[in-house]
Amino acid sequence: MSVQPLPLPMTVIGGYLGAGKTTLINRLLSEPHGLRLTLLVNDFGAINIDADLLASASDDTIELTNGCVCCTMGADLFMAIGDILDRPERPEHLIVEASGIADPASIARAAIAEPDLAYGGIVTVVDGMNYCQTVSDPLVSAQIEAQVRCADYMLVTKVDALSETLHGLLRAQSGAPISLTSDLNQIAPVVIGTLLAPDKLPSPSGHGHFQRWNMHSAECFSREALQQKLSTRPEGVFRMKGKVRGMEDTGFLVQIVGAHCEVIASPQPDRTALVAIGPAAGFSQQTVEDWWQQSQG
């Protein structure tokens, strides 16, 4: 019997015009995250691919030597996603760059509606230099606030520190974690929920902004018990993913991004294995460990 492929995680990168989405994508492409990514972008012209990474290019596709692929979105997002899902070798994560005037939440709903996709979160890029002024413009304020409000994570660009005014505005509009792109050596933990391998870190302080907890065990769960367990996870957990052994022949794939939690039936794994990450300021490895070790009752 053939095994159905697991849902493909899809993350949306949103943010208003000029916020720095393309710069973020360029950084992500060059990081040694070790995953085959496919990025759906609106305009190849803005993507500055390092010549050392470029493997081949056509009118609508750029292939990189690290296994990543960039595709133009075209007029129909769902057709572009369908084309990616139909390919013989699927990527390990799909990134969609929303246009500056798009609603990232509407795009992300495709991941919830499509059985072959899994919700990978919304990362909203905020122009730290101009946000306060731009969001006060009544012609665009509702649109910009909506892009922030739906975020699972916010990345602030163009400033080295958050002013009290900007911090207050963002906190009032969204409870999502906030990071400055100038402080981050790693974009991958935010966008695709993975930490670089220790030998790939660009500096000894590379893990400074994120903490990780992981576990391996022989534990088995029913779906109901697992969902109940995950519903009580500590607040500092931004992402969690992994495979959990079920009570019978079916296991479960766990995908958590912010407040969104999915438990998907999957082939039974040999062991239960989970990894969680979160911003260092609000994430405690011991707290997560204590939570996991609590009795199921």
Side-chain angles (χ1 to χ4, degrees):
M1 184 176 71
S2 62
V3 177
Q4 293 296 315
L6 294 175
L8 171 66
M10 186 182 95
T11 297
V12 180
I13 297 177
Y16 195 58
L17 298 166
K21 297 185 295 297
T22 300
T23 300
L24 183 144
I25 286 173
N26 285 331
R27 285 184 58 178
L28 180 63
L29 287 174
S30 62
E31 279 190 1
H33 42 67
L35 295 181
R36 296 191 316 276
L37 306 180
T38 290
L39 296 102
L40 284 177
V41 299
N42 292 289
D43 179 18
F44 277 162
I47 303 292
N48 182 22
I49 303 295
D50 188 321
D52 292 336
L53 284 176
L54 183 62
S56 65
S58 64
D59 290 341
D60 61 358
T61 302
I62 295 176
E63 296 188 11
L64 307 184
T65 55
N66 61 8
C68 297
V69 175
C70 296
C71 302
T72 52
M73 201 176 302
D76 193 317
L77 170 66
F78 288 93
M79 287 185 64
I81 292 175
D83 176 66
I84 291 168
L85 292 173
D86 289 340
R87 293 181 180 183
E89 185 178 16
R90 286 189 184 181
E92 295 171 281
H93 205 110
L94 173 62
I95 312 293
V96 179
E97 178 199 22
S99 73
I101 58 175
D103 175 17
S106 296
I107 296 174
R109 278 193 283 272
I112 299 173
E114 170 55 63
D116 287 336
L117 293 175
Y119 181 77
I122 297 171
V123 177
T124 296
V125 184
V126 175
D127 181 345
M129 184 179 297
N130 300 300
Y131 185 82
C132 294
Q133 178 181 353
T134 307
V135 79
S136 65
D137 184 342
L139 295 178
V140 298
S141 60
Q143 185 177 50
I144 296 174
E145 287 180 14
Q147 292 174 344
V148 167
R149 190 165 51 248
C150 70
D152 293 295
Y153 208 103
M154 287 182 282
L155 282 172
V156 180
T157 63
K158 304 181 183 180
V159 293
D160 294 325
L162 287 175
S163 67
E164 290 186 11
T165 301
L166 177 57
H167 187 269
L169 273 175
L170 296 178
R171 274 283 169 255
Q173 294 162 8
S174 172
I178 304 171
S179 288
L180 295 167
T181 57
S182 59
D183 287 344
L184 292 178
N185 285 326
Q186 306 167 56
I187 295 296
V190 176
V191 179
I192 56 179
T194 185
L195 287 167
L196 304 183
D199 62 338
K200 299 294 186 181
L201 292 175
S203 73
S205 62
H207 277 317
H209 294 280
F210 298 93
Q211 293 294 325
R212 173 172 58 186
W213 167 89
N214 57 72
M215 60 79 60
H216 299 267
S217 76
E219 291 177 88
C220 299
F221 290 81
S222 68
R223 179 186 285 272
E224 294 74 17
L226 179 59
Q227 290 176 323
Q228 174 60 30
K229 180 75 170 178
L230 296 175
S231 71
T232 64
R233 64 190 180 276
E235 290 185 0
V237 174
F238 167 55
R239 286 185 184 266
M240 178 179 285
K241 57 186 179 181
K243 296 178 180 179
V244 175
R245 283 186 61 81
M247 300 298 292
E248 298 180 353
D249 295 332
T250 302
F252 304 102
L253 175 69
V254 173
Q255 292 273 10
I256 291 175
V257 183
H260 186 87
C261 176
E262 284 188 309
V263 175
I264 304 166
S266 71
Q268 182 77 293
D270 294 333
R271 294 175 64 81
T272 290
L274 292 170
V275 60
I277 68 170
F283 185 95
S284 164
Q285 293 175 330
Q286 189 59 55
T287 298
V288 180
E289 181 65 23
D290 291 344
W291 158 74
W292 183 258
Q293 293 299 334
Q294 287 174 358
S295 170
Q296 297 297 308

